[in-house]
Amino acid sequence: MSPATEQFLAPKPEPVVVPTVRSRGRLPASPSKPVGRFPRKRRHPVKIAIAVLAIPAIFLTAALPAYAFTPRAAGDLTSATHSSGNKVVQGLTVAAAATAVTVSRDGFAATTKEQLAAQALATKKALAAQQAATARAAAAAFAVYGVRAEGDDYPWYNMPTESQGGGLSPLSYYYRECVDFVAWRLNRDAGSTGSSWRWTWNSLTPGGGNASAWASAWSNHGWTTSKTPVVGAVAWFNYNHVAYVQSIGGDGSVVLEEYNWMGSHTYHKRTVSPSDVALFLYPPA
């Protein structure tokens, strides 16, 4: 039998009918599409790794606050802000010079009235000392040492002072002090210009050589004192200074001659009002 005849006589196979699956609430699946398992495509391992890394990155990026993407100029230290308005400091730069700044504090701390009064007194004394030093420096700038000034007849004008190592004059007062100059003038007016001096420390002011003691010495001697000036009298000041009354002006002003005015240890001449002088000590009898 020929192959063609066998193909014609062979029985045809019965078609396989696959039962369809009904889903609840749905129409039956199309009979043209048989239900069964289909082979799945296998993914490449590299793609899987990329997916594993990419998914967390997507979530992290979404979680970043909006200010992280806010552009800022270089050196800008202004804090970025959230959309809600809350400020968050992003960075802080401190200048290097700031670390060298120090705070100076006064070492004196006054807590009571007595301490405040003591501090005020100390400040007042310091200011007075500074003013006196400034005045002495100003007067000394105009002082001429070694040259006798016009009108000056004091014989020891060029002798060293106490601060310069000098000693006492023949009148027993220190050279070029106000008291030695006035004692010289009192001797001159009394006609004593040599070794037998009429007035020295022992006979003029035995209680003390400072100018501050001269008013008491006049009182102890019983010599005349007054608020009215006369030529040849001693102008006594209560700040430890004496001068010689050279003349009296027509307006009542007093012309004084003196040594060591404002610490200069030189001859000086000035005009003052009688009210500027605490007391006039008349020439001793």
Side-chain angles (χ1 to χ4, degrees), residues 210-216 227 234-243 261 270 275-281:
N210 291 336
S212 59
W214 279 45
S216 297
K227 295 290 291 184
V234 179
W236 182 81
F237 298 89
N238 53 15
Y239 50 83
N240 197 26
H241 184 68
V242 291
W261 169 243
R270 60 183 170 131
S275 61
D276 295 335
V277 181
L279 193 64
F280 291 98
L281 313 179

Side-chain angles (χ1 to χ4, degrees), residues 3 23 42 83 89 96 124 234:
S23 299
R42 300 187 62 183
S83 58
V89 177
K124 185 177 180 180
V234 179

Side-chain angles (χ1 to χ4, degrees), residues 67 72 76-82 86-93:
Y67 62 81
R72 291 183 294 170
D76 183 11
L77 299 181
T78 306
S79 300
T81 58
H82 291 288
N86 295 327
K87 295 185 178 180
V88 179
V89 177
Q90 297 299 309
L92 179 62
T93 302

